[in-house]
Tab-separated table of all heavy atoms in Angstrom:
chain	number	residue	atom	x	y	z
T	33	TYR	N	108.133	53.741	64.077
T	33	TYR	CA	109.359	54.080	63.291
T	33	TYR	C	109.137	55.379	62.630
T	33	TYR	O	107.907	55.748	62.426
T	33	TYR	CB	109.464	53.014	62.184
T	33	TYR	CG	109.996	51.615	62.650
T	33	TYR	CD1	109.655	51.183	63.884
T	33	TYR	CD2	110.804	50.821	61.886
T	33	TYR	CE1	110.130	49.971	64.373
T	33	TYR	CE2	111.185	49.608	62.179
T	33	TYR	CZ	110.907	49.118	63.509
T	33	TYR	OH	111.384	47.945	63.883
T	34	LEU	N	110.155	56.136	62.390
T	34	LEU	CA	110.027	57.471	61.794
T	34	LEU	C	110.896	57.453	60.432
T	34	LEU	O	112.028	57.065	60.418
T	34	LEU	CB	110.457	58.527	62.752
T	34	LEU	CG	109.461	58.956	63.795
T	34	LEU	CD1	110.124	59.752	64.933
T	34	LEU	CD2	108.294	59.651	63.170
T	35	HIS	N	110.210	57.826	59.445
T	35	HIS	CA	110.740	57.925	58.062
T	35	HIS	C	111.119	59.338	57.736
T	35	HIS	O	110.511	60.322	58.237
T	35	HIS	CB	109.700	57.389	57.105
T	35	HIS	CG	109.277	55.945	57.344
T	35	HIS	ND1	109.676	54.895	56.712
T	35	HIS	CD2	108.425	55.516	58.304
T	35	HIS	CE1	109.160	53.790	57.133
T	35	HIS	NE2	108.286	54.105	58.162
T	36	TRP	N	112.010	59.438	56.685
T	36	TRP	CA	112.455	60.682	56.148
T	36	TRP	C	112.101	60.550	54.625
T	36	TRP	O	112.439	59.645	54.001
T	36	TRP	CB	113.815	61.036	56.363
T	36	TRP	CG	114.071	61.442	57.831
T	36	TRP	CD1	114.461	60.733	58.805
T	36	TRP	CD2	113.961	62.832	58.260
T	36	TRP	NE1	114.610	61.459	59.951
T	36	TRP	CE2	114.253	62.784	59.669
T	36	TRP	CE3	113.511	64.065	57.790
T	36	TRP	CZ2	114.142	63.913	60.549
T	36	TRP	CZ3	113.430	65.176	58.636
T	36	TRP	CH2	113.766	65.054	60.016
T	37	VAL	N	111.321	61.578	54.172
T	37	VAL	CA	110.920	61.642	52.703
T	37	VAL	C	111.289	63.072	52.211
T	37	VAL	O	111.161	64.006	52.965
T	37	VAL	CB	109.443	61.408	52.629
T	37	VAL	CG1	108.948	61.600	51.251
T	37	VAL	CG2	108.975	60.066	53.139
T	38	ARG	N	111.642	63.094	51.001
T	38	ARG	CA	112.060	64.539	50.439
T	38	ARG	C	111.232	64.677	49.174
T	38	ARG	O	110.814	63.753	48.492
T	38	ARG	CB	113.503	64.692	50.169
T	38	ARG	CG	114.116	64.038	49.078
T	38	ARG	CD	115.618	64.378	48.986
T	38	ARG	NE	116.163	63.907	47.752
T	38	ARG	CZ	117.461	64.027	47.404
T	38	ARG	NH1	118.291	64.748	48.214
T	38	ARG	NH2	118.013	63.552	46.312
T	39	GLN	N	111.131	66.036	48.839
T	39	GLN	CA	110.437	66.305	47.596
T	39	GLN	C	111.141	67.565	46.976
T	39	GLN	O	111.073	68.651	47.524
T	39	GLN	CB	108.881	66.659	47.879
T	39	GLN	CG	108.130	66.886	46.775
T	39	GLN	CD	106.656	66.985	46.938
T	39	GLN	OE1	106.231	67.424	48.012
T	39	GLN	NE2	105.809	66.406	46.123
T	40	ALA	N	111.754	67.330	45.851
T	40	ALA	CA	112.416	68.472	45.124
T	40	ALA	C	111.324	69.248	44.494
T	40	ALA	O	110.209	68.787	44.213
T	40	ALA	CB	113.398	67.816	44.068
T	41	PRO	N	111.657	70.480	44.184
T	41	PRO	CA	110.634	71.442	43.566
T	41	PRO	C	109.998	70.847	42.411
T	41	PRO	O	110.714	70.379	41.370
T	41	PRO	CB	111.442	72.679	43.237
T	41	PRO	CG	112.582	72.539	44.179
T	41	PRO	CD	112.968	71.206	44.368
T	42	GLY	N	108.629	70.700	42.305
T	42	GLY	CA	107.897	70.241	41.306
T	42	GLY	C	107.947	68.793	40.944
T	42	GLY	O	107.486	68.316	39.938
T	43	GLN	N	108.615	68.065	41.920
T	43	GLN	CA	108.838	66.652	41.770
T	43	GLN	C	108.011	65.813	42.707
T	43	GLN	O	107.336	66.360	43.621
T	43	GLN	CB	110.279	66.267	41.841
T	43	GLN	CG	111.279	67.057	40.938
T	43	GLN	CD	110.949	66.755	39.525
T	43	GLN	OE1	110.843	65.629	39.026
T	43	GLN	NE2	110.803	67.798	38.711
T	44	GLY	N	108.120	64.474	42.648
T	44	GLY	CA	107.397	63.487	43.433
T	44	GLY	C	108.124	63.340	44.814
T	44	GLY	O	109.163	63.870	45.104
T	45	LEU	N	107.497	62.421	45.531
T	45	LEU	CA	108.079	62.114	46.918
T	45	LEU	C	109.120	60.992	46.766
T	45	LEU	O	109.043	60.120	45.896
T	45	LEU	CB	106.891	61.549	47.702
T	45	LEU	CG	105.757	62.477	47.959
T	45	LEU	CD1	104.593	61.741	48.851
T	45	LEU	CD2	106.126	63.765	48.742
T	46	GLU	N	110.159	61.115	47.421
T	46	GLU	CA	111.297	60.197	47.500
T	46	GLU	C	111.469	59.803	48.912
T	46	GLU	O	111.969	60.572	49.845
T	46	GLU	CB	112.457	60.913	46.861
T	46	GLU	CG	113.743	60.039	46.830
T	46	GLU	CD	114.789	60.747	45.971
T	46	GLU	OE1	114.978	61.807	46.071
T	46	GLU	OE2	115.531	59.996	45.277
T	47	TRP	N	111.520	58.463	49.134
T	47	TRP	CA	111.833	57.838	50.406
T	47	TRP	C	113.289	57.793	50.673
T	47	TRP	O	114.040	57.318	49.776
T	47	TRP	CB	111.167	56.413	50.600
T	47	TRP	CG	111.407	55.806	51.851
T	47	TRP	CD1	110.524	56.018	52.980
T	47	TRP	CD2	112.274	54.845	52.289
T	47	TRP	NE1	110.894	55.168	54.090
T	47	TRP	CE2	112.047	54.508	53.613
T	47	TRP	CE3	113.383	54.270	51.630
T	47	TRP	CZ2	112.790	53.434	54.329
T	47	TRP	CZ3	114.090	53.197	52.300
T	47	TRP	CH2	113.837	52.932	53.661
T	48	MET	N	113.768	58.328	51.764
T	48	MET	CA	115.215	58.249	52.094
T	48	MET	C	115.563	57.263	53.120
T	48	MET	O	116.729	56.795	52.970
T	48	MET	CB	115.655	59.650	52.558
T	48	MET	CG	115.227	60.858	51.640
T	48	MET	SD	115.787	62.439	52.395
T	48	MET	CE	117.641	62.226	52.299
T	49	GLY	N	114.765	56.900	54.030
T	49	GLY	CA	115.175	55.952	55.008
T	49	GLY	C	114.243	55.971	56.197
T	49	GLY	O	113.284	56.804	56.351
T	50	VAL	N	114.511	55.140	57.259
T	50	VAL	CA	113.735	55.000	58.402
T	50	VAL	C	114.638	54.711	59.593
T	50	VAL	O	115.663	54.033	59.346
T	50	VAL	CB	112.654	53.936	58.158
T	50	VAL	CG1	113.328	52.550	57.932
T	50	VAL	CG2	111.701	53.785	59.381
T	51	ILE	N	114.152	55.159	60.799
T	51	ILE	CA	114.895	54.842	61.952
T	51	ILE	C	113.911	54.304	63.004
T	51	ILE	O	112.738	54.781	63.069
T	51	ILE	CB	115.593	56.112	62.567
T	51	ILE	CG1	116.318	55.740	63.817
T	51	ILE	CG2	114.623	57.274	62.814
T	51	ILE	CD1	117.281	56.744	64.286
T	52	ASN	N	114.320	53.324	63.688
T	52	ASN	CA	113.515	52.687	64.817
T	52	ASN	C	113.958	53.440	66.081
T	52	ASN	O	115.039	53.285	66.562
T	52	ASN	CB	113.872	51.193	64.975
T	52	ASN	CG	113.207	50.591	66.130
T	52	ASN	OD1	112.443	51.268	66.833
T	52	ASN	ND2	113.347	49.354	66.271
T	53	PRO	N	113.039	54.265	66.664
T	53	PRO	CA	113.393	55.154	67.741
T	53	PRO	C	113.757	54.277	69.003
T	53	PRO	O	114.405	54.728	69.881
T	53	PRO	CB	112.124	55.966	68.052
T	53	PRO	CG	111.441	55.993	66.724
T	53	PRO	CD	111.708	54.656	66.152
T	54	SER	N	113.246	53.040	69.063
T	54	SER	CA	113.596	52.168	70.167
T	54	SER	C	115.075	51.779	70.272
T	54	SER	O	115.634	52.078	71.252
T	54	SER	CB	112.663	50.971	70.116
T	54	SER	OG	112.889	50.128	71.236
T	55	GLY	N	115.582	51.215	69.243
T	55	GLY	CA	116.902	50.683	69.216
T	55	GLY	C	117.858	51.536	68.478
T	55	GLY	O	119.126	51.352	68.553
T	56	GLY	N	117.342	52.371	67.613
T	56	GLY	CA	118.131	53.244	66.831
T	56	GLY	C	118.576	52.585	65.460
T	56	GLY	O	119.354	53.190	64.654
T	57	GLY	N	118.068	51.447	65.190
T	57	GLY	CA	118.363	50.779	63.884
T	57	GLY	C	117.805	51.559	62.772
T	57	GLY	O	116.776	52.202	62.847
T	58	THR	N	118.534	51.516	61.625
T	58	THR	CA	118.136	52.324	60.503
T	58	THR	C	118.223	51.505	59.213
T	58	THR	O	118.830	50.494	59.073
T	58	THR	CB	119.137	53.522	60.281
T	58	THR	OG1	120.413	52.960	60.159
T	58	THR	CG2	119.037	54.482	61.478
T	59	ILE	N	117.443	51.856	58.215
T	59	ILE	CA	117.388	51.350	56.865
T	59	ILE	C	117.487	52.514	55.945
T	59	ILE	O	116.653	53.467	56.075
T	59	ILE	CB	116.185	50.458	56.534
T	59	ILE	CG1	116.119	49.288	57.441
T	59	ILE	CG2	116.326	49.999	55.069
T	59	ILE	CD1	114.862	48.403	57.295
T	60	TYR	N	118.448	52.599	55.069
T	60	TYR	CA	118.532	53.765	54.066
T	60	TYR	C	118.262	53.332	52.758
T	60	TYR	O	118.629	52.203	52.327
T	60	TYR	CB	119.972	54.290	54.250
T	60	TYR	CG	120.346	54.837	55.492
T	60	TYR	CD1	121.698	54.607	55.995
T	60	TYR	CD2	119.422	55.570	56.408
T	60	TYR	CE1	122.099	55.116	57.272
T	60	TYR	CE2	119.880	55.919	57.678
T	60	TYR	CZ	121.211	55.787	58.054
T	60	TYR	OH	121.535	56.219	59.355
T	61	ALA	N	117.703	54.267	51.903
T	61	ALA	CA	117.560	53.893	50.483
T	61	ALA	C	118.927	53.890	49.856
T	61	ALA	O	119.874	54.584	50.284
T	61	ALA	CB	116.731	55.075	49.931
T	62	GLN	N	119.140	53.029	48.949
T	62	GLN	CA	120.426	52.679	48.389
T	62	GLN	C	121.003	53.966	47.858
T	62	GLN	O	122.346	54.171	47.989
T	62	GLN	CB	120.184	51.722	47.176
T	62	GLN	CG	121.664	51.195	46.586
T	62	GLN	CD	121.418	50.048	45.534
T	62	GLN	OE1	120.226	49.836	45.224
T	62	GLN	NE2	122.428	49.449	45.205
T	63	LYS	N	120.221	54.830	47.259
T	63	LYS	CA	120.616	56.033	46.650
T	63	LYS	C	121.384	57.005	47.622
T	63	LYS	O	122.381	57.712	47.225
T	63	LYS	CB	119.488	56.835	46.091
T	63	LYS	CG	119.762	58.239	45.523
T	63	LYS	CD	118.532	58.869	44.977
T	63	LYS	CE	118.880	60.284	44.421
T	63	LYS	NZ	117.614	60.907	43.841
T	64	PHE	N	121.108	56.895	48.912
T	64	PHE	CA	121.710	57.762	49.900
T	64	PHE	C	122.664	57.204	50.811
T	64	PHE	O	123.314	57.769	51.609
T	64	PHE	CB	120.615	58.413	50.723
T	64	PHE	CG	119.557	59.178	49.966
T	64	PHE	CD1	118.326	58.648	49.658
T	64	PHE	CD2	119.858	60.401	49.415
T	64	PHE	CE1	117.467	59.328	48.893
T	64	PHE	CE2	118.916	61.020	48.721
T	64	PHE	CZ	117.712	60.485	48.524
T	65	GLN	N	122.948	55.823	50.561
T	65	GLN	CA	123.845	55.102	51.424
T	65	GLN	C	125.220	55.826	51.423
T	65	GLN	O	125.724	56.163	50.368
T	65	GLN	CB	124.182	53.645	50.942
T	65	GLN	CG	122.848	52.813	51.014
T	65	GLN	CD	122.814	51.984	52.207
T	65	GLN	OE1	123.666	52.113	53.175
T	65	GLN	NE2	121.899	51.150	52.346
T	66	GLY	N	125.836	56.067	52.541
T	66	GLY	CA	127.121	56.720	52.614
T	66	GLY	C	127.191	58.186	52.882
T	66	GLY	O	128.020	58.824	53.056
T	67	ARG	N	125.986	58.790	52.494
T	67	ARG	CA	125.758	60.166	52.619
T	67	ARG	C	124.756	60.610	53.561
T	67	ARG	O	124.651	61.812	54.025
T	67	ARG	CB	125.356	60.672	51.191
T	67	ARG	CG	125.869	62.045	50.873
T	67	ARG	CD	125.816	62.288	49.328
T	67	ARG	NE	124.572	62.264	48.674
T	67	ARG	CZ	123.721	63.278	48.533
T	67	ARG	NH1	124.173	64.516	48.870
T	67	ARG	NH2	122.588	63.203	47.912
T	68	VAL	N	123.949	59.669	54.163
T	68	VAL	CA	122.953	60.032	55.065
T	68	VAL	C	123.125	59.283	56.396
T	68	VAL	O	123.579	58.132	56.436
T	68	VAL	CB	121.479	59.597	54.473
T	68	VAL	CG1	121.300	58.086	54.403
T	68	VAL	CG2	120.443	60.304	55.249
T	69	THR	N	122.732	59.994	57.368
T	69	THR	CA	122.817	59.338	58.761
T	69	THR	C	121.482	59.761	59.553
T	69	THR	O	121.196	61.005	59.590
T	69	THR	CB	124.003	59.821	59.527
T	69	THR	OG1	125.219	59.560	58.833
T	69	THR	CG2	124.085	59.137	60.993
T	70	MET	N	120.858	58.788	60.099
T	70	MET	CA	119.575	59.134	60.886
T	70	MET	C	119.935	58.602	62.290
T	70	MET	O	120.408	57.596	62.505
T	70	MET	CB	118.465	58.333	60.267
T	70	MET	CG	117.944	58.812	58.886
T	70	MET	SD	116.602	57.812	58.212
T	70	MET	CE	116.614	58.422	56.523
T	71	THR	N	119.602	59.596	63.197
T	71	THR	CA	119.819	59.296	64.649
T	71	THR	C	118.620	59.705	65.445
T	71	THR	O	117.663	60.409	64.864
T	71	THR	CB	121.102	60.102	65.189
T	71	THR	OG1	120.885	61.452	64.856
T	71	THR	CG2	122.279	59.622	64.382
T	72	ARG	N	118.635	59.327	66.755
T	72	ARG	CA	117.535	59.728	67.587
T	72	ARG	C	118.007	60.098	68.906
T	72	ARG	O	119.076	59.546	69.393
T	72	ARG	CB	116.384	58.707	67.613
T	72	ARG	CG	116.440	57.681	68.703
T	72	ARG	CD	117.491	56.759	68.635
T	72	ARG	NE	117.307	55.587	69.625
T	72	ARG	CZ	118.283	54.963	70.195
T	72	ARG	NH1	119.548	55.361	69.914
T	72	ARG	NH2	118.048	53.877	70.981
T	73	ASP	N	117.296	60.872	69.685
T	73	ASP	CA	117.589	61.230	71.103
T	73	ASP	C	116.285	60.921	71.872
T	73	ASP	O	115.266	61.736	71.813
T	73	ASP	CB	117.947	62.761	71.131
T	73	ASP	CG	118.205	63.134	72.617
T	73	ASP	OD1	117.941	62.441	73.517
T	73	ASP	OD2	118.930	64.150	72.824
T	74	THR	N	116.262	59.837	72.468
T	74	THR	CA	115.062	59.408	73.264
T	74	THR	C	114.772	60.400	74.461
T	74	THR	O	113.545	60.518	74.803
T	74	THR	CB	115.226	58.039	73.724
T	74	THR	OG1	116.418	57.918	74.556
T	74	THR	CG2	115.385	56.989	72.643
T	75	SER	N	115.781	61.142	74.975
T	75	SER	CA	115.456	62.014	76.083
T	75	SER	C	114.606	63.240	75.618
T	75	SER	O	114.017	63.797	76.446
T	75	SER	CB	116.845	62.497	76.646
T	75	SER	OG	117.472	63.276	75.795
T	76	THR	N	114.729	63.561	74.411
T	76	THR	CA	113.958	64.696	73.793
T	76	THR	C	112.902	64.347	72.753
T	76	THR	O	112.244	65.123	72.215
T	76	THR	CB	114.941	65.780	73.243
T	76	THR	OG1	115.591	65.207	72.130
T	76	THR	CG2	115.795	66.326	74.262
T	77	SER	N	112.807	62.951	72.556
T	77	SER	CA	111.867	62.488	71.509
T	77	SER	C	112.018	63.132	70.173
T	77	SER	O	111.069	63.570	69.539
T	77	SER	CB	110.411	62.716	72.009
T	77	SER	OG	110.151	61.982	73.221
T	78	THR	N	113.272	63.230	69.744
T	78	THR	CA	113.733	63.869	68.553
T	78	THR	C	114.425	62.924	67.747
T	78	THR	O	115.408	62.186	68.122
T	78	THR	CB	114.524	65.112	68.847
T	78	THR	OG1	113.700	66.096	69.707
T	78	THR	CG2	114.842	65.849	67.513
T	79	VAL	N	114.161	62.902	66.320
T	79	VAL	CA	114.994	62.190	65.454
T	79	VAL	C	115.718	63.263	64.496
T	79	VAL	O	115.167	64.339	64.364
T	79	VAL	CB	114.251	61.238	64.566
T	79	VAL	CG1	113.626	60.128	65.512
T	79	VAL	CG2	113.039	61.926	63.794
T	80	TYR	N	116.767	62.853	63.906
T	80	TYR	CA	117.525	63.741	63.149
T	80	TYR	C	117.976	63.067	61.826
T	80	TYR	O	118.151	61.762	61.823
T	80	TYR	CB	118.867	64.147	63.867
T	80	TYR	CG	118.713	64.787	65.125
T	80	TYR	CD1	118.639	64.065	66.389
T	80	TYR	CD2	118.621	66.173	65.290
T	80	TYR	CE1	118.420	64.688	67.588
T	80	TYR	CE2	118.459	66.864	66.411
T	80	TYR	CZ	118.388	66.070	67.570
T	80	TYR	OH	118.176	66.726	68.812
T	81	ILE	N	118.005	63.793	60.731
T	81	ILE	CA	118.720	63.345	59.577
T	81	ILE	C	119.757	64.230	59.155
T	81	ILE	O	119.639	65.408	59.220
T	81	ILE	CB	117.549	63.234	58.375
T	81	ILE	CG1	118.355	62.578	57.115
T	81	ILE	CG2	116.972	64.585	57.996
T	81	ILE	CD1	117.394	62.299	56.064
T	82	GLU	N	120.941	63.680	58.850
T	82	GLU	CA	122.024	64.480	58.412
T	82	GLU	C	122.430	63.959	57.010
T	82	GLU	O	122.604	62.775	56.791
T	82	GLU	CB	123.269	64.331	59.324
T	82	GLU	CG	124.386	65.200	58.898
T	82	GLU	CD	125.588	65.263	60.068
T	82	GLU	OE1	125.536	64.377	60.991
T	82	GLU	OE2	126.307	66.182	60.108
T	83	LEU	N	122.584	64.965	56.132
T	83	LEU	CA	122.950	64.621	54.668
T	83	LEU	C	124.143	65.422	54.423
T	83	LEU	O	124.219	66.675	54.626
T	83	LEU	CB	121.747	64.958	53.796
T	83	LEU	CG	121.873	64.581	52.316
T	83	LEU	CD1	121.989	63.058	52.259
T	83	LEU	CD2	120.825	65.157	51.540
T	84	SER	N	125.246	64.698	53.982
T	84	SER	CA	126.465	65.259	53.729
T	84	SER	C	126.770	65.427	52.200
T	84	SER	O	125.951	64.964	51.359
T	84	SER	CB	127.703	64.405	54.274
T	84	SER	OG	127.648	63.202	53.763
T	85	SER	N	127.838	66.150	51.837
T	85	SER	CA	128.276	66.341	50.425
T	85	SER	C	127.139	66.872	49.627
T	85	SER	O	126.818	66.310	48.539
T	85	SER	CB	128.868	65.015	49.959
T	85	SER	OG	129.893	64.512	50.639
T	86	LEU	N	126.517	67.938	50.137
T	86	LEU	CA	125.285	68.469	49.483
T	86	LEU	C	125.716	68.972	48.044
T	86	LEU	O	126.692	69.456	47.770
T	86	LEU	CB	124.727	69.545	50.318
T	86	LEU	CG	124.101	69.114	51.621
T	86	LEU	CD1	123.820	70.332	52.543
T	86	LEU	CD2	122.783	68.294	51.307
T	87	ARG	N	124.600	68.769	47.189
T	87	ARG	CA	124.805	69.175	45.847
T	87	ARG	C	123.488	69.914	45.533
T	87	ARG	O	122.421	69.747	46.255
T	87	ARG	CB	125.078	68.254	44.853
T	87	ARG	CG	124.653	66.798	45.088
T	87	ARG	CD	125.445	65.744	44.725
T	87	ARG	NE	124.871	64.444	44.707
T	87	ARG	CZ	125.503	63.324	45.239
T	87	ARG	NH1	126.715	63.465	45.764
T	87	ARG	NH2	124.894	62.183	45.343
T	88	SER	N	123.352	70.604	44.413
T	88	SER	CA	122.236	71.421	44.101
T	88	SER	C	121.002	70.488	43.997
T	88	SER	O	119.868	70.908	44.281
T	88	SER	CB	122.421	72.152	42.785
T	88	SER	OG	122.666	71.273	41.642
T	89	GLU	N	121.065	69.190	43.489
T	89	GLU	CA	120.034	68.354	43.369
T	89	GLU	C	119.397	67.985	44.733
T	89	GLU	O	118.324	67.307	44.779
T	89	GLU	CB	120.563	67.052	42.689
T	89	GLU	CG	121.255	67.282	41.393
T	89	GLU	CD	122.750	67.350	41.537
T	89	GLU	OE1	123.339	66.288	41.617
T	89	GLU	OE2	123.271	68.566	41.731
T	90	ASP	N	120.080	68.276	45.865
T	90	ASP	CA	119.577	68.032	47.132
T	90	ASP	C	118.561	69.035	47.627
T	90	ASP	O	117.947	68.894	48.712
T	90	ASP	CB	120.653	67.820	48.113
T	90	ASP	CG	121.558	66.599	47.924
T	90	ASP	OD1	120.877	65.541	47.567
T	90	ASP	OD2	122.676	66.662	48.015
T	91	THR	N	118.412	70.066	46.911
T	91	THR	CA	117.459	71.171	47.161
T	91	THR	C	116.048	70.497	47.174
T	91	THR	O	115.556	70.093	46.113
T	91	THR	CB	117.581	72.437	46.202
T	91	THR	OG1	118.742	72.888	46.340
T	91	THR	CG2	116.441	73.365	46.368
T	92	ALA	N	115.382	70.625	48.282
T	92	ALA	CA	114.161	69.958	48.399
T	92	ALA	C	113.469	70.254	49.768
T	92	ALA	O	114.177	70.875	50.671
T	92	ALA	CB	114.285	68.454	48.297
T	93	VAL	N	112.236	69.936	49.869
T	93	VAL	CA	111.514	69.832	51.250
T	93	VAL	C	111.743	68.521	51.826
T	93	VAL	O	111.394	67.519	51.113
T	93	VAL	CB	110.023	70.303	51.128
T	93	VAL	CG1	109.333	70.176	52.425
T	93	VAL	CG2	109.846	71.707	50.574
T	94	TYR	N	112.162	68.485	53.078
T	94	TYR	CA	112.372	67.193	53.692
T	94	TYR	C	111.367	67.031	54.812
T	94	TYR	O	111.167	67.961	55.636
T	94	TYR	CB	113.886	67.191	54.378
T	94	TYR	CG	114.915	67.109	53.349
T	94	TYR	CD1	115.292	68.204	52.475
T	94	TYR	CD2	115.640	65.926	53.120
T	94	TYR	CE1	116.174	68.158	51.519
T	94	TYR	CE2	116.607	65.817	52.122
T	94	TYR	CZ	116.832	66.954	51.356
T	94	TYR	OH	117.945	66.804	50.358
T	95	TYR	N	110.628	65.847	54.827
T	95	TYR	CA	109.585	65.571	55.730
T	95	TYR	C	110.094	64.404	56.634
T	95	TYR	O	110.665	63.477	56.164
T	95	TYR	CB	108.465	65.153	54.952
T	95	TYR	CG	107.683	66.256	54.133
T	95	TYR	CD1	107.880	66.187	52.742
T	95	TYR	CD2	106.831	67.081	54.736
T	95	TYR	CE1	107.168	67.141	51.970
T	95	TYR	CE2	106.173	68.033	53.907
T	95	TYR	CZ	106.442	68.060	52.550
T	95	TYR	OH	105.685	68.992	51.786
T	96	CYS	N	109.643	64.463	57.877
T	96	CYS	CA	109.757	63.261	58.703
T	96	CYS	C	108.210	62.757	58.775
T	96	CYS	O	107.302	63.679	58.718
T	96	CYS	CB	110.280	63.502	60.053
T	96	CYS	SG	109.468	64.696	61.167
T	97	ALA	N	108.145	61.613	58.928
T	97	ALA	CA	106.671	61.093	59.020
T	97	ALA	C	106.685	59.645	59.667
T	97	ALA	O	107.614	58.883	59.538
T	97	ALA	CB	106.029	60.835	57.553
T	98	THR	N	105.516	59.294	60.269
T	98	THR	CA	105.409	57.898	60.666
T	98	THR	C	104.976	57.061	59.570
T	98	THR	O	105.009	55.911	59.535
T	98	THR	CB	104.219	57.869	61.805
T	98	THR	OG1	103.028	58.276	61.247
T	98	THR	CG2	104.673	58.673	63.031
Side-chain angles (χ1 to χ4, degrees):
Chain T
Y33 286 30
L34 280 164
H35 302 255
W36 287 94
V37 174
R38 77 178 187 180
Q39 186 170 37
Q43 302 301 308
L45 301 175
E46 182 173 30
W47 185 82
M48 299 182 71
V50 59
I51 183 167
N52 176 357
S54 179
T58 56
I59 300 175
Y60 301 140
Q62 187 175 9
K63 174 178 178 177
F64 301 103
Q65 296 266 7
R67 212 161 62 94
V68 70
T69 304
M70 296 178 188
T71 56
R72 95 291 191 212
D73 181 341
T74 55
S75 69
T76 60
S77 299
T78 302
V79 296
Y80 301 89
I81 184 171
E82 184 168 19
L83 189 62
S84 62
S85 303
L86 290 169
R87 35 211 189 228
S88 59
E89 309 90 86
D90 294 317
T91 293
V93 176
Y94 290 73
Y95 295 101
C96 64
T98 64

